Amino acid sequence: MGDMTNSDFYSKNQRNESSHGGEFGCTMEELRSLMELRGTEAVVKIKETYGDTEAICRRLKTSPVEGLPGTAPDLEKRKQIFGQNFIPPKKPKTFLQLVWEALQDVTLIILEIAAIISLGLSFYHPPGESNEGCATAQGGAEDEGEAEAGWIEGAAILLSVICVVLVTAFNDWSKEKQFRGLQSRIEQEQKFTVVRAGQVVQIPVAEIVVGDIAQIKYGDLLPADGLFIQGNDLKIDESSLTGESDQVRKSVDKDPMLLSGTHVMEGSGRMVVTAVGVNSQTGIIFTLLGAGGEEEEKKDKKGKMQDGNVDSSQSKAKQQDGAAAMEMQPLKSAEGGDADDKKKANMHKKEKSVLQGKLTKLAVQIGKAGLVMSAITVIILVLYFTVDTFVVNKKPWLPECTPVYVQYFVKFFIIGVTVLVVAVPEGLPLAVTISLAYSVKKMMKDNNLVRHLDACETMGNATAICSDKTGTLTTNRMTVVQAYVGDVHYKEIPDPSSINAKTMELLVNAIAINSAYTTKILPPEKEGALPRQVGNKTECGLLGFVLDLKQDYEPVRSQMPEEKLYKVYTFNSVRKSMSTVIKMPDESFRMYSKGASEIVLKKCCKILSGAGEPRVFRPRDRDEMVKKVIEPMACDGLRTICVAYRDFPSSPEPDWDNENDILNDLTCICVVGIEDPVRPEVPEAIRKCQRAGITVRMVTGDNINTARAIAIKCGIIHPGEDFLCLEGKEFNRRIRNEKGEIEQERIDKIWPKLRVLARSSPTDKHTLVKGIIDSTHTEQRQVVAVTGDGTNDGPALKKADVGFAMGIAGTDVAKEASDIILTDDNFSSIVKAVMWGRNVYDSISKFLQFQLTVNVVAVIVAFTGACITQDSPLKAVQMLWVNLIMDTFASLALATEPPTETLLLRKPYGRNKPLISRTMMKNILGHAVYQLTLIFTLLFVGEKMFQIDSGRNAPLHSPPSEHYTIIFNTFVMMQLFNEINARKIHGERNVFDGIFRNPIFCTIVLGTFAIQIVIVQFGGKPFSCSPLQLDQWMWCIFIGLGELVWGQVIATIPTSRLKFLKEAGRLTQKEEIPEEELNEDVEEIDHAERELRRGQILWFRGLNRIQTQIEVVNTFKSGASFQGALRRQSSVTSQSQDVANLSSPSRVSLSNALSSPTSLPPAAAGHPRREGVP
C-alpha cells in the first residue's frame, strides 16, 4: 500500500471533511491536533475551544451515558468523515519477488552459469570440428544427430533450476499467506467494549468509530485515541509511545488524554473516542514508518521473510482488520524502552533457537566438505584430460581445436558443480519450514495458536514450566464453599436465617458495590448448565455467594450506580485488595474493602459479632483466627478473602490520597473460602510433563497453604519429596545479598528444589524465570516456558523462552508478550505443544538421516566415477532430479510425520545434544556402504551381469547407455526404500510403524516411483536415460528392497560398540548469536536506519556464507575455523550482555544464557524432606 496509499488516505479524508465539516461540531484535523497535546496543555485547550469533554461529546453527537445510537448510516458517515479504525497493511511480496529471492541461492547461480556456458558452446560449431586430430582418447564414433542434441543437457539443467526455484518460492509464499491468515485470526478475535444505544456491547476493534463511548479496564490495550470522561483510579503505561516507564494517572481535570497503543495498568473508566486508524497517535507513527514505505522495500527486499515476526510488525494482516496496528505493537516491559523499542521487541528473541543454531553449523560443515570434493573432482578431471591428450598421446594444441577442448572443460566444470549441488543439502531450510508450518497448522487443532514459528520447536526442548495457578491448573470457576461470619465457621454455605440481618445487609452491600460493575452472574445458556460468570472470577465467586444466601446484588447496584461511587482503590498486585468509598445519605462516608485475608485482617481492629455488633479484634485474636480459620481453609486448597468496611465522618473529609491512613482501622464482616477446583485433566498432564523430564513449578499470588494444597492435588509436589514451597517475601530474602541486590549464586541454591512460589509479585515471577534461564548450575542451559494471563505477567512471558498466554482469560497485554496463545486456557494443551515441538526436532533428524545418506553416496559416486572413468555415472540432470526428490519431496514426506505419545517418554535433548546422534551416524554410514558397494559393482561389472554394452568411456555426445541408466535407476530405488528406513531414528526395528497414519508420506513415495518410471522409459536424451526391460527393472527394485533388509542388519549392531563414530551438528556453548545481531542490540538506531542496516546485514551475511563455503577447510569434522570466528564473537557477547540486561527485561540476556547448560540434577533423595516455609 506504500506511502502513496497513506497520503491518498489523507487527501480523501481531507476532501470529505471540507464537504461534511458542518455535520459534526469539529473536524478530524482539529481532533487530531488536540490529541497531540498532553496533560495540562490539553486541558487548557479543551476549556478554551470546547468548554469541557461533555461539550465535545455533544459536538460529536454522542451521549456520555447512552453512547452512539449505533444506526448503520450514522456509523457509515462517521467512518467516511473521520476514517476507519485500521491501518492499511504492508503489501505482501508478490510471487515474482519471491522467485527472484529464491534465485539468489549461490549454488543455483553457479549452476545457471554452467548451464548457460554449456548451451552457448553446444551451439558454437567451430571449423575444426571435423578435424580428427582434435578428438581425444575417448573420441569414439559420434553421429550428426547426437551433436545436434548437445544443447539438451544445458537446457535440462536450467529447467531443473527453474523447478527448484518455483518450489522454494511457492513454499515461501504459502508460509507468508499462512502467517497473514494467522495474524488476521488473532485480530478478528480482538474485541473491545463500547456503549451503543445504552447497551454495553463488544465489537471488533476495527468497528470502533469516532464518537464511540468505550469502556476501559485493567489490562486493556487501547484501540484508539480518546478523552477520559469518567472512571476511577485509572493509570496508564504510555511507554510504548513516550518511552517514559512511569505510569501516568489520568483524570478529567488534569490529564484526560488516552492514546491508542497504550496499556491500562490499573483502574477502569469510560472514554469518548476522538481519533481512529491512521489519525490516532499510533497510526501517525505507523504512517511515518510508512506502513508500506517504498524506500524501505528497496532496503529490505531481503530479510523480511527470514523473520516472520518483523514482518508482522508491518504486515498488518488482511485489509479489513485494522486491529492490526494496535495488536502488533510489542508489549513494553514494566521498565519500558523508548519508542525505538517498538521495532526491537518485534525482532525475534535474539537467541537463535536450538535447532537453528545446530542446523546452521551443520549446513556450513557440509557445504565446506562439498566444496572440497567438487574442487578436487574438477582438478582431477582437467589434469587427467590434459595429461592424457597432450602428454600421453602427444597431440599438439591446435587453435581450431580450442572450442572442442573448452567444451570438455565445461563438461568437467558441470560435473564439479553437480557434485557440489548434491553435497549441499538445500532441502534443509525447506524441511524446517515445512515441518514448522505443518506443526503450527496442526497445533491450531490442539488449541495452540502459535504466534512465533520457532516457539513451536523451542517447546520441544523445554526443561521447566512455570505455570500460573488460577485458570491454567484450575477451572477458574470460583465458588464460595466455606465462610466465617459472626463468630461461626461454616463448612458449607450457611442458612440465610442463621445470619444476623445487619451483618447480612453489610455483607451484601460490601460485595455488590465493591466489585467491578462489569462483573455479573448471568443465567445459564443451556438448561441444567452452571450459571455463566462474566468478568473477574473471584468477584463472581463472591456475587455467587450473595445469590446462595438468597439475596440479590442487582437492586443494590441500581441504587448506587457506578457514577455515584465517590472513590475507588482498584485491585493491583501491590495492594492485593480493592476498596470503594460511597457517600451515605447523611453525608458521611463508608468504605468497603475486600482482599487477601491475611493482608486485610492485619488492617482490621474490629470484627462483627454474632449479634451484628462490632467488637474489638486484637492481634492475638487475629493470630488465633489465622490458625483456626484461615489455615484450615487454605489447607483445603481454598483461596481466602476477607470482606471489611470502615465509616468516616463527613467533616473533616479524609485525605483520600493518603492510602495508608485510609486503608486501616477496618471492621471485618466475614472471611470466605473460595474454591477453584483443579481441572480434571491437569494431574495427568503434569505427570506426562514430569515423565518427559520437564519440571513444573507453580507461581501464584495465592496464600502459601492454598498453593501447597493445590500443588499436591495437581501432582506438582508429592508428599515425602525434598522440595521447597516459598512465599515471595522469603524468596526475595534468600536471593538478595545485604545490599538488596539479586545474586545468581543464591538463586542457584533455590530453584532446583523450588516447586511452589506463593504470594509472588510479577517481579518475583520475572526474577525466577530469569534466574533459571541464566543459571549455570546444571550442565545444560534450562529452557523455560511460562504461562500467564494478567497484564503483570508480561515481563515474565517476554523473558521466557516460550511464553504461553491464555486465550480466554488473558489480557491483550499478556497475549502481546506471548509466543503461543492457548485458545482453551488449559494446561494439557501445553503438553501437546511439547509433543509437537519434539516432533519437529525428530522430523528434521529423520530428514537429515535420509538426506545425508544420499549426499554421501552421490558425492562419492560422482567423485570416484569421474576420476576413474572421466565421466560421472550420474549425470548433472539426474543428480538434480535426485536432489529434487531427496530435498523437496523427502522433506515433505518426513517433515509431516504426526507425533506420537512415545515422544513424551524421553528427556529433552538440550542444547549440547548433537543433531546427528551416533545411531543416526551408524545408519547413514551403514546404508552408504550398502549403496556404494552395489553401485560400484554395477559400474564396473554391470555390463557383464546384464549382457549389455558398457557405458564407460563414452565420447562427448554419445547416446545414453542402458548401463548407466540401470545405475541411475538402482540408485533412485535404493533412496526410495531408504526413505522408509529413515522414518525411525532411534534404532527401532519396525520402520513401517504408523506409516498409514501419514498419507502424505505414502503419496510421495508412490508418486516419486511413478515419475521415476516415466523418466527412465521416456526421459531419453535430456535425462541421459535409455528405456529398460522388465527384468532389468525387477533387478533394480530388488536391489532397492535390499535396503530394508540391510536396515535390519544395521539395527542389530549395538551403537555402543561404535565409539569411533563422530556426532555432528553439536552446539557448543557460546555459539548462538551472529555478531551483527548483538551489535544491533548495543546501539540504539532509529527505525529507518535499522531497516537499512538489516539490508546490509543480510548482504554481509550472504557474503559471509559464500566466504565460509569458499574457505576450503580440511577440518571438516572439527570445524575449527568456525569456532575461532565464534570465539571472536563471544567476547563481544560478554561485553554487551550486562548493558542489555539492565536496560529492559524484554532483552534476552546473552552470555549467561548461552554458557548455561540444563537438565536437573537428580532430586537429592538422601536429604530429609524439607518444606521451605520458615
Side-chain angles (χ1 to χ4, degrees):
M1 280 212 163
D3 291 343
M4 266 307 298
T5 332
N6 284 343
S7 48
D8 288 353
F9 223 75
Y10 281 139
S11 52
K12 193 165 84 208
N13 287 338
Q14 247 67 37
R15 280 199 304 280
N16 286 348
E17 220 170 89
S18 46
S19 53
H20 298 75
E23 297 197 14
F24 293 104
C26 32
T27 63
M28 186 179 70
E29 258 326 272
E30 290 170 9
L31 288 175
R32 218 175 110 187
S33 53
L34 172 66
M35 292 319 291
E36 280 167 7
L37 302 173
R38 300 280 178 273
T40 38
E41 289 178 15
V43 178
V44 173
K45 171 94 166 126
I46 293 175
K47 278 222 170 68
E48 287 172 0
T49 321
Y50 305 99
D52 58 2
T53 41
E54 297 268 322
I56 294 186
C57 290
R58 282 197 296 279
R59 289 192 179 202
L60 288 173
K61 301 190 180 164
T62 178
S63 138
V65 185
E66 296 283 309
L68 292 176
T71 56
D74 177 56
L75 296 178
E76 209 32 62
K77 193 162 69 191
R78 287 172 192 273
K79 281 186 186 165
Q80 275 185 347
I81 298 180
F82 297 110
Q84 295 185 337
N85 193 21
F86 89 94
I87 290 175
K90 190 176 172 56
K91 267 219 311 275
K93 287 213 169 99
T94 59
F95 189 67
L96 288 176
Q97 282 171 311
L98 292 170
V99 167
W100 177 244
E101 275 173 26
L103 278 170
Q104 313 294 315
D105 187 47
V106 191
T107 35
L108 289 182
I109 294 176
I110 299 176
L111 267 179
E112 287 154 25
I113 295 171
I116 290 167
I117 296 178
S118 155
L119 269 179
L121 287 169
S122 67
F123 289 128
Y124 172 60
H125 293 295
E129 182 90 40
S130 50
N131 187 337
E132 282 307 302
C134 302
T136 58
Q138 304 103 305
E142 177 182 326
D143 58 51
E144 276 307 294
E146 293 303 336
E148 298 305 303
W151 60 272
I152 292 183
E153 187 157 2
I157 295 179
L158 279 181
L159 191 72
S160 45
V161 166
I162 291 169
C163 271
V164 173
V165 166
L166 288 179
V167 169
T168 320
F170 179 73
N171 198 48
D172 281 351
W173 179 77
S174 58
K175 180 168 107 187
E176 165 101 327
K177 197 166 129 231
Q178 252 179 353
F179 186 78
R180 282 174 186 263
L182 190 75
Q183 278 313 98
S184 64
R185 218 197 109 151
I186 295 177
E187 272 136 31
Q188 278 150 7
E189 286 177 357
Q190 266 234 298
K191 296 233 186 332
F192 209 79
T193 315
V194 297
V195 182
R196 284 194 180 165
Q199 291 292 314
V200 177
V201 288
Q202 287 218 326
I203 57 169
V205 173
E207 296 293 308
I208 293 177
V209 293
V210 171
D212 257 324
I213 304 294
Q215 288 198 348
I216 51 181
K217 58 179 190 311
Y218 158 80
D220 283 343
L221 184 72
L222 298 185
D225 292 355
L227 296 172
F228 184 52
I229 318 176
Q230 167 269 323
N232 31 52
D233 212 9
L234 189 68
K235 286 192 185 153
I236 302 250
D237 168 16
E238 294 190 346
S239 57
S240 58
L241 283 178
T242 58
E244 299 296 325
S245 55
D246 298 340
Q247 294 176 10
V248 187
R249 206 188 194 107
K250 298 290 178 184
S251 62
V252 181
D253 45 0
K254 298 215 177 59
D255 181 3
M257 314 307 272
L258 298 172
L259 307 170
S260 59
T262 58
H263 293 129
V264 183
M265 297 316 269
E266 255 182 58
S268 59
R270 294 212 301 265
M271 71 169 187
V272 55
V273 176
T274 53
V276 292
V278 264
N279 305 307
S280 65
Q281 292 303 300
T282 312
I284 293 171
I285 291 178
F286 266 98
T287 314
L288 291 176
L289 302 182
E294 309 288 281
E295 283 76 288
E296 261 168 52
E297 288 205 342
K298 295 190 191 71
K299 292 169 210 152
D300 59 62
K301 269 284 155 46
K302 319 279 294 254
K304 262 299 190 234
M305 279 308 302
Q306 263 111 325
D307 185 311
N309 203 35
V310 169
D311 217 55
S312 74
S313 81
Q314 281 129 335
S315 76
K316 294 291 132 354
K318 299 211 174 111
Q319 312 317 44
Q320 74 268 29
D321 242 327
M326 318 308 158
E327 163 56 23
M328 289 319 301
Q329 273 198 357
L331 165 85
K332 284 294 134 308
S333 54
E335 286 94 309
D338 50 45
D340 180 58
D341 248 20
K342 201 165 278 175
K343 244 358 229 191
K344 187 146 291 167
N346 251 2
M347 308 276 291
H348 264 315
K349 302 206 172 132
K350 286 292 176 215
E351 210 161 315
K352 264 198 186 167
S353 78
V354 186
L355 190 64
Q356 284 171 331
K358 292 180 180 177
L359 282 176
T360 317
K361 184 155 187 215
L362 194 70
V364 170
Q365 291 179 344
I366 296 174
K368 287 176 188 168
L371 255 166
V372 178
M373 292 295 275
S374 61
I376 298 176
T377 313
V378 175
I379 294 167
I380 292 182
L381 283 172
V382 172
L383 281 178
Y384 189 102
F385 175 77
T386 39
V387 170
D388 190 57
T389 313
F390 302 122
V391 182
V392 182
N393 296 342
K394 303 197 174 46
K395 295 248 172 69
W397 179 296
L398 303 170
E400 65 266 26
C401 290
T402 309
V404 180
Y405 296 144
V406 172
Q407 244 176 327
Y408 268 104
F409 290 144
V410 170
K411 179 180 161 189
F412 299 150
F413 178 62
I414 288 181
I415 291 173
V417 172
T418 318
V419 172
L420 178 62
V421 172
V422 175
V424 176
E426 60 265 31
L428 262 185
L430 198 67
V432 178
T433 315
I434 291 178
S435 188
L436 285 175
Y438 172 76
S439 306
V440 168
K441 223 184 162 85
K442 289 287 192 217
M443 280 167 81
M444 289 291 284
K445 292 202 179 82
D446 285 337
N447 303 312
N448 283 291
L449 190 133
V450 182
R451 292 184 62 226
H452 300 154
L453 270 184
D454 52 0
C456 155
E457 168 259 320
T458 313
M459 204 46 220
N461 285 307
T463 53
I465 297 175
C466 295
S467 171
D468 249 12
K469 175 177 81 70
T470 312
T472 315
L473 301 173
T474 58
T475 53
N476 206 5
R477 246 202 99 78
M478 309 278 188
T479 36
V480 172
V481 288
Q482 295 187 20
Y484 179 88
V485 192
D487 295 338
V488 188
H489 184 173
Y490 297 94
K491 292 284 187 180
E492 59 247 358
I493 299 288
D495 182 357
S497 57
S498 64
I499 297 176
N500 178 292
K502 267 194 219 158
T503 312
M504 182 68 97
E505 190 193 358
L506 270 171
L507 178 61
V508 174
N509 280 336
I511 291 176
I513 293 172
N514 184 29
S515 58
Y517 279 31
T518 47
T519 304
K520 311 185 187 52
I521 292 193
L522 302 177
E525 285 177 339
K526 292 199 277 297
E527 263 315 288
L530 292 164
R532 280 183 299 155
Q533 297 188 338
V534 181
N536 180 313
K537 297 297 191 237
T538 311
E539 290 178 352
C540 287
L542 290 167
L543 292 174
F545 179 52
V546 170
L547 298 177
D548 290 340
L549 292 172
K550 310 280 184 285
Q551 307 291 318
D552 191 3
Y553 61 87
E554 280 299 342
V556 181
R557 283 186 174 180
S558 42
Q559 215 176 343
M560 174 65 65
E562 211 170 348
E563 294 77 58
K564 284 201 192 157
L565 300 181
Y566 195 81
K567 170 100 182 110
V568 177
Y569 299 94
T570 48
F571 180 89
N572 66 23
S573 51
V574 182
R575 287 191 191 122
K576 290 232 187 282
S577 68
M578 168 177 178
S579 314
T580 305
V581 181
I582 57 171
K583 213 169 188 165
M584 303 297 278
D586 63 354
E587 295 296 307
S588 66
F589 298 99
R590 174 171 287 175
M591 176 179 77
Y592 293 115
S593 251
K594 67 165 193 290
S597 54
E598 59 263 53
I599 290 172
V600 178
L601 277 178
K602 280 202 182 91
K603 298 176 176 161
C604 290
C605 62
K606 298 200 184 78
I607 187 168
L608 292 184
S609 67
E613 296 302 325
R615 63 175 167 81
V616 180
F617 185 61
R618 294 184 300 272
R620 76 157 183 273
D621 299 334
R622 182 170 65 234
D623 295 342
E624 188 177 356
M625 185 159 168
V626 166
K627 271 202 195 63
K628 295 257 170 70
V629 179
I630 291 175
E631 284 191 354
M633 279 188 188
C635 292
D636 291 342
L638 305 184
R639 164 184 276 193
T640 53
I641 300 280
C642 176
V643 181
Y645 77 102
R646 175 182 179 183
D647 286 325
F648 295 98
S650 54
S651 65
E653 185 172 329
D655 170 13
W656 298 115
D657 288 338
N658 184 349
E659 264 184 60
N660 291 347
D661 290 357
I662 301 283
L663 295 180
N664 226 332
D665 293 341
L666 306 175
T667 305
C668 167
I669 304 174
C670 73
V671 173
V672 294
I674 295 185
E675 180 183 44
D676 184 6
V678 171
R679 286 171 179 265
E681 61 282 339
V682 163
E684 172 59 17
I686 286 181
R687 219 180 54 244
K688 284 182 184 166
C689 283
Q690 288 163 341
R691 207 172 47 213
I694 301 169
T695 314
V696 182
R697 294 184 174 79
M698 182 163 101
V699 183
T700 172
D702 251 353
N703 167 317
I704 183 129
N705 297 324
T706 312
R708 190 187 298 118
I710 297 238
I712 291 174
K713 279 185 194 164
C714 293
I716 291 178
I717 51 185
H718 303 287
E721 277 183 355
D722 178 26
F723 57 80
L724 284 174
C725 294
L726 292 181
E727 283 200 329
K729 282 202 186 100
E730 171 65 9
F731 173 69
N732 274 308
R733 200 181 56 77
R734 293 199 190 188
I735 61 172
R736 292 175 193 275
N737 58 17
E738 299 68 51
K739 294 191 198 129
E741 295 158 346
I742 297 175
E743 285 187 0
Q744 186 64 42
E745 298 80 72
R746 290 172 183 243
I747 297 185
D748 285 350
K749 287 202 186 79
I750 295 179
W751 72 257
K753 289 194 180 148
L754 183 69
R755 290 294 175 274
V756 175
L757 184 57
R759 284 271 173 257
S760 66
S761 68
T763 350
D764 296 339
K765 195 170 185 177
H766 181 254
T767 310
L768 176 68
V769 172
K770 183 175 177 308
I772 299 181
I773 289 180
D774 292 354
S775 169
T776 48
H777 182 76
T778 44
E779 82 281 11
Q780 290 276 9
R781 145 148 149 50
Q782 292 275 326
V783 177
V784 183
V786 169
T787 69
D789 52 5
T791 304
N792 48 13
D793 293 325
L797 286 171
K798 203 123 195 84
K799 175 72 195 156
D801 294 288
V802 181
F804 286 92
M806 300 299 146
I808 304 168
T811 57
D812 298 347
V813 181
K815 291 179 186 174
E816 193 43 67
S818 67
D819 300 298
I820 297 180
I821 294 175
L822 296 176
T823 49
D824 62 345
D825 286 16
N826 194 335
F827 188 85
S828 59
S829 303
I830 298 179
V831 183
K832 298 259 175 55
V834 172
M835 219 157 77
W836 276 106
R838 294 188 170 187
N839 192 48
V840 168
Y841 200 95
D842 278 9
S843 299
I844 306 295
S845 294
K846 290 172 188 174
F847 172 69
L848 269 176
Q849 173 173 310
F850 173 67
Q851 165 91 56
L852 291 180
T853 313
V854 186
N855 282 6
V856 170
V857 176
V859 170
I860 295 179
V861 167
F863 176 70
T864 43
C867 299
I868 299 170
T869 66
Q870 284 84 65
D871 182 13
S872 163
L874 297 174
K875 300 291 182 288
V877 183
Q878 294 174 348
M879 289 279 214
L880 281 165
W881 159 240
V882 168
N883 221 19
L884 192 77
I885 59 166
M886 294 175 336
D887 283 4
T888 318
F889 296 151
S891 59
L892 249 177
L894 292 168
T896 51
E897 289 270 311
T900 54
E901 287 279 328
T902 47
L903 287 167
L904 294 174
L905 298 177
R906 61 170 175 77
K907 299 274 175 277
Y909 281 147
R911 291 189 168 258
N912 303 0
K913 168 105 172 46
L915 205 52
I916 299 175
S917 61
R918 274 226 174 89
T919 318
M920 288 167 60
M921 211 53 158
K922 175 183 80 175
N923 291 344
I924 292 173
L925 295 178
H927 287 295
V929 167
Y930 173 82
Q931 297 184 7
L932 286 171
T933 320
L934 281 164
I935 286 181
F936 284 134
T937 316
L938 286 176
L939 181 59
F940 296 113
V941 293
E943 71 270 27
K944 299 193 185 64
M945 288 161 53
F946 288 105
Q947 278 115 35
I948 46 177
D949 297 334
S950 163
R952 295 193 301 278
N953 302 339
L956 196 55
H957 293 298
S958 55
S961 64
E962 280 187 353
H963 183 192
Y964 274 15
T965 309
I966 289 178
I967 293 178
F968 166 58
N969 201 15
T970 310
F971 181 66
V972 173
M973 288 303 124
M974 290 196 289
Q975 300 328 324
L976 272 183
F977 287 104
N978 194 28
E979 196 164 339
I980 298 174
N981 277 330
R983 290 183 67 244
K984 299 286 178 234
I985 48 176
H986 299 299
E988 295 91 331
R989 285 247 177 233
N990 179 6
V991 288
F992 290 103
D993 180 34
I995 194 163
F996 295 115
R997 284 215 316 268
N998 186 356
I1000 303 184
F1001 185 86
C1002 305
T1003 321
I1004 283 181
V1005 171
L1006 296 173
T1008 316
F1009 186 60
I1011 301 176
Q1012 177 64 17
I1013 296 179
V1014 174
I1015 289 182
V1016 172
Q1017 296 307 99
F1018 311 105
K1021 184 72 186 173
F1023 280 96
S1024 317
C1025 286
S1026 90
L1028 297 180
Q1029 311 297 321
L1030 186 64
D1031 59 328
Q1032 293 167 337
W1033 264 101
M1034 289 288 107
W1035 274 107
C1036 294
I1037 294 172
F1038 175 71
I1039 295 174
L1041 276 167
E1043 269 290 352
L1044 294 174
V1045 182
W1046 184 248
Q1048 296 302 313
V1049 174
I1050 295 178
T1052 353
I1053 308 171
T1055 315
S1056 48
R1057 291 286 169 80
L1058 308 170
K1059 287 280 185 287
F1060 59 88
L1061 285 183
K1062 275 277 191 297
E1063 301 141 328
R1066 173 195 291 276
L1067 254 196
T1068 41
Q1069 310 261 279
K1070 287 276 195 284
E1071 245 168 54
E1072 285 153 27
I1073 296 162
E1075 204 162 343
E1076 313 87 31
E1077 293 187 11
L1078 285 176
N1079 299 349
E1080 208 179 309
D1081 226 17
V1082 181
E1083 325 153 358
E1084 296 285 325
I1085 344 169
D1086 75 292
H1087 172 255
E1089 198 174 331
R1090 176 168 301 106
E1091 288 295 356
L1092 207 138
R1093 201 49 119 53
R1094 188 177 319 117
Q1096 290 170 342
I1097 287 169
L1098 282 159
W1099 174 236
F1100 288 137
R1101 216 177 275 171
L1103 281 178
N1104 284 347
R1105 221 165 260 171
I1106 300 171
Q1107 283 163 357
T1108 354
Q1109 288 183 354
I1110 292 173
E1111 282 172 18
V1112 178
V1113 186
N1114 337 10
T1115 50
F1116 171 38
K1117 290 203 180 98
S1118 64
S1121 67
F1122 199 56
Q1123 279 160 4
L1126 283 152
R1127 264 179 226 117
R1128 290 198 299 282
Q1129 269 166 237
S1130 58
S1131 59
V1132 182
T1133 316
S1134 48
Q1135 289 159 17
S1136 68
Q1137 163 249 331
D1138 288 316
V1139 187
N1141 260 0
L1142 301 170
S1143 60
S1144 115
S1146 65
R1147 302 278 157 71
V1148 176
S1149 125
L1150 300 162
S1151 76
N1152 308 356
L1154 305 185
S1155 46
S1156 57
T1158 48
S1159 97
L1160 286 171
H1167 289 270
R1169 169 167 178 236
R1170 201 181 56 245
E1171 284 264 354
V1173 187

